Structure formats: structure tokens, C-alpha cells
Amino acid sequence: MRQLFTSLVEGVLAIGSFIQAQDTQILEAIREKYNLPGLAAARYRDSGLIKSAVGLRKVDDPTKLKATDTFHLGSNTKAMTGTLIGILVDQGCLDWNLTLPKALPELAPILSEGHRETTIEMLGAHRTGIQDDTSQDKEFLERLYDPSLSPTEGRRLWLSRLLSKDPVGVPSEYFYDNANYLILGHIIEKYTGHGSSWEEIIAEQLFKPLDMKCGFGSPPESSITSVDNPWGHLVNSPSDVPTPVGGPLIRRDNPPTLGPAGTVHCDIESYTKFLQLHLDGFNGRPTPLKISSETFKKLHTPYPSSPSDNQPYTYGGWGYLDGSTSPWSNGPVLSHAGSNVLNYAEVILAPRLGDKGEALMAFMNVGNAVQGGTLPAGNATIDLFRSMLNGSLFPPPKEA
């Protein structure tokens, strides 16, 4: 009997090693095809989380990228900020239809007429008409890197500058802009009280109860030259060799002020806990944060479309597909991609896939080309998710 048991264990381990080798080969082929420094991927389903990584943390250093590393999430942070808004709605602090003059009365005297009817739900769905050009003002952005200026103070400066001018676009029409989530982050700071920053609030109300090991800005390093986590890399055109970007950590990311729109970093295990929260919430299962079913539905519902729309987007920070063009998903799909130019992350949530829903994740320590198209990160992600969905990468476990 003992010999039979030993043989069975050895057989299972051999199958597991074969599958892992196959996963590594697929990831390495995608990494080489798009000239990525490093590539990590993960899939979460009811059988658990499986993840893998290939390549290097830094192109001129031999340290291997690991699936346990910390990755920059970029604009995938927005769904976290949206979740905090939902929590405040459930607490009775906010209402989705609250307008800016009422949400931020201290800014009411400088608000332009074009922002006075802007609501929280419009901000969450990028329907404010805001097309912010602040990122073009190098002198202003430089000021935001000053360590003596807190992220909250930076957000006040940004919003005072932004909201005193009428929006460039048409309110109610979709236009993706980080500034919408800076405003939401500042609203969170105001209504949570006690002078806490968005960074402190999200750590206390989201990361801590979900046991997520997350932080802000470029992934942590023990020194300015260490390679403890993936370094971000820059490519100006699709044919470029990725260039690692060093210097002080604060300079390896957008200014800290942009936190609510896209500065969170997490390890894959931690990020999966946030995704599981939304899979469970979508499907009506209990969650550690006890967010109401009504709020989860709001977070996952797209804003009513207009003829100019190119992407349905929910009130809570997710791209949305109704499932009509994705038969594999068995229903709606929530997704988002994020990049600070030096890193890239993308996630797909398919809440009706399988028994409890699934999450597909991709992480790269290089962004899309600044010029000349979407390579390398965007197309690499397409190949990666296609490999997951056709069963060649991270295949489902064999039934006993």
C-alpha cells in the first residue's frame, strides 16, 4: 500500500512539473516575442491561484523575476478608489448623485460653472468632460515631487487649478482622465475625516481587512541600486531595447499626488484578494468588507452609453463587456489595464466563468511604446490571455 501511495504521489508531482515547464515555455515565448524584460501571469479560479514569472527584474542584472515579486498596478488602482467610494456610500457619508459643490464646499467658490453639476457617479465613470492638460506643465509636475509637499496637499493644488476652468469636453460623454479619480480621492479624504490621506485610508479600510501587502509608488527597494523587485523600463518605439529607469524611487513613478488614479503596488497574492472581493460581490457572496449588494451592483454597472462611446465603463473603475462578444466568459466581463509608462498590468474578471468566477492577470516591468503604437505590453497581454483561455497556459486541474 505504501509503495502504491508513493507511486501515486510521484506521478502527481511529475504531472505538476510537466505543466509548470509548459507554462514557463509559453510565458518565455511571449516574453521573447515582444522583447519584455520580465513577464508574470496568474489565473485565479475556484481551484485556487496559479502564477508564474519569467525574465529579469532589470535587463542589465541577472536577478530573475519571481511570481512573488511586487508589481506596479498603475490605473488598476482606480477600482480600489471606486471601492472606497462604495464603502462611504454604504456608510451614509456619500451619495452617488452628490455634486461637486456639495461634496467639496471649500472649493465651491472657485468652481467653474461647467463643474457645478458634476456628480460622484460621473467622476467614477469618466463622464465629467474633464480633459486635463496638467501633465503638460512640467514646472507644476516638478513641484509635486517635492518631498515637503504631501500627496493630499498636491491634490488640493491640482484640483484648484483644474476645477477653476470649464471642462474641455462634453459632460456625460466618456473621456478617460486620471483627474476624475484624483477628485474622488480628495472626496474620500474629506468624508473619512480626521485629516487622513487617501493613502492612509485605503491602507486601513481596504488593504488591512483584506490582508493585502500593498504600498504606493515604484515597488520597494532596499537601496537606490538594489534589485529587490522589478525595475520599470522605458521604450520609446516598438523596436527599442527596454531601458531600466533608476534614480530615487519617487522619480520612478508619477508624482505621489496621483495616488487615487494609479500608484498602488502589490504582490500577486495580495492583488488577487481584491479581485476575489469583486468576484464574490458580483455573485452575491459574503465579503470581508460587508459591502452591500446594491453597492457592488453599482460598482459593476456601466454608465449609460452615448453615441460617441468607445468603451463602456462602470461607476466603480472597471471597463465593461456584457458578454455578447465574449462567449467564453458565460456573462459580463470586468477589466482594466494600468501603466505608468515604465510598468504594465492588466486584469480580466469573468464572474460567471466556472463555479465562482475567474480572474486573469498579466504584469510586465515595461510599458507600451511612447511612440509608434501599442507594443510591447498591450499585444503581449493579448497573447497571454489567449493562451490562458485556450487552455494551453494554466490549464484547469485534472479531475480525479
Side-chain angles (χ1 to χ4, degrees):
M1 179 65 71
R2 180 177 298 172
Q3 185 176 7
L4 175 60
F5 176 76
T6 301
S7 298
L8 287 171
V9 170
E10 289 175 346
V12 169
L13 291 175
I15 292 172
S17 297
F18 173 79
I19 292 174
Q20 288 177 355
Q22 177 179 287
D23 291 341
T24 300
Q25 289 174 2
I26 292 171
L27 289 177
E28 182 60 26
I30 295 173
R31 189 195 70 79
E32 290 183 357
K33 178 179 178 181
Y34 294 103
N35 196 23
L36 309 172
L39 170 63
R43 185 169 190 170
Y44 174 76
R45 48 165 70 98
D46 53 3
S47 58
L49 174 68
I50 182 169
K51 59 187 187 296
S52 187
V54 295
L56 303 173
R57 290 176 176 168
K58 181 172 178 273
V59 294
D60 56 3
D61 186 278
T63 309
K64 300 290 187 183
L65 189 75
K66 296 180 180 179
T68 53
D69 285 349
T70 298
F71 297 94
H72 195 280
L73 299 183
S75 288
N76 291 4
T77 302
K78 289 181 173 68
M80 297 177 174
T81 298
T83 301
L84 288 180
I85 290 291
I87 290 172
L88 288 174
V89 170
D90 276 349
Q91 292 173 355
C93 300
L94 293 177
D95 183 271
W96 291 104
N97 293 314
L98 195 67
T99 60
L100 278 183
K102 294 182 179 179
L104 296 173
E106 70 278 13
L107 291 178
I110 61 97
L111 279 180
S112 75
E113 285 301 317
H115 292 297
R116 292 189 173 274
E117 298 303 317
T118 295
T119 64
I120 287 177
E121 68 176 18
M122 291 168 68
L123 290 163
H126 299 284
R127 301 288 180 144
T128 60
I130 290 174
Q131 297 180 21
D132 189 22
D133 63 354
T134 302
S135 61
Q136 306 302 315
D137 187 336
K138 294 182 179 180
E139 184 177 344
F140 181 78
L141 290 183
E142 187 65 27
R143 185 180 179 187
L144 299 179
Y145 282 110
D146 184 341
S148 67
L149 183 74
S150 74
T152 298
E153 290 169 336
R155 286 188 274 275
R156 289 195 194 103
L157 289 175
W158 193 309
L159 299 190
S160 295
R161 171 195 176 101
L162 169 71
L163 297 176
S164 62
K165 300 178 292 186
D166 277 339
V168 174
V170 179
S172 81
E173 290 188 1
Y174 175 78
F175 188 89
Y176 184 94
D177 197 295
N178 284 329
N180 292 303
Y181 274 78
L182 294 192
I183 299 170
L184 287 176
H186 196 50
I187 290 172
I188 289 168
E189 289 170 332
K190 175 179 174 59
Y191 282 86
T192 304
H194 310 298
S196 298
S197 68
W198 170 87
E199 289 79 5
E200 293 168 327
I201 295 163
I202 197 171
E204 183 65 27
Q205 297 208 23
L206 193 67
F207 299 161
K208 184 177 179 180
L210 293 180
D211 192 25
M212 297 170 64
K213 298 177 178 63
C214 302
F216 312 97
S218 187
E221 296 288 346
S222 55
S223 75
I224 199 170
T225 58
S226 65
V227 191
D228 304 327
N229 273 300
W231 281 42
H233 293 73
L234 181 68
V235 287
N236 281 314
S237 68
S239 59
D240 275 0
V241 174
T243 301
V245 175
L249 284 185
I250 193 173
R251 291 289 185 168
R252 303 186 198 183
D253 194 13
N254 291 311
T257 293
L258 268 77
T263 70
V264 168
H265 60 244
C266 284
D267 61 83
I268 294 175
E269 295 266 359
S270 294
Y271 187 42
T272 300
K273 292 175 182 178
F274 175 73
L275 301 180
Q276 182 182 357
L277 171 80
H278 280 272
L279 289 173
D280 287 342
F282 189 100
N283 288 309
R285 294 187 292 268
T287 69
L289 299 186
K290 298 181 173 59
I291 297 172
S292 69
S293 58
E294 292 81 8
T295 289
F296 270 123
K297 184 175 181 180
K298 184 74 174 184
L299 294 172
H300 300 152
T301 297
Y303 195 97
S305 62
S306 64
S308 63
D309 284 354
N310 55 16
Q311 170 65 66
Y313 200 93
T314 77
Y315 298 98
W318 297 97
Y320 179 88
L321 293 175
D322 62 9
S324 61
T325 59
S326 56
W328 58 267
S329 66
N330 198 35
V333 172
L334 303 172
S335 66
H336 216 286
S339 178
N340 65 350
V341 181
L342 307 179
N343 299 275
Y344 187 89
E346 188 164 346
V347 63
I348 290 176
L349 292 186
R352 302 299 192 199
L353 187 60
D355 291 337
K356 296 183 178 181
E358 294 197 13
L360 316 180
M361 292 163 268
F363 308 90
M364 288 157 244
N365 54 344
V366 66
N368 284 322
V370 176
Q371 302 173 1
T374 59
L375 296 173
N379 286 352
T381 303
I382 292 173
D383 284 6
L384 187 67
F385 288 160
R386 183 183 291 122
S387 296
M388 290 191 206
L389 294 174
N390 68 21
S392 56
L393 177 63
F394 304 152
K398 301 291 185 182
E399 295 185 6

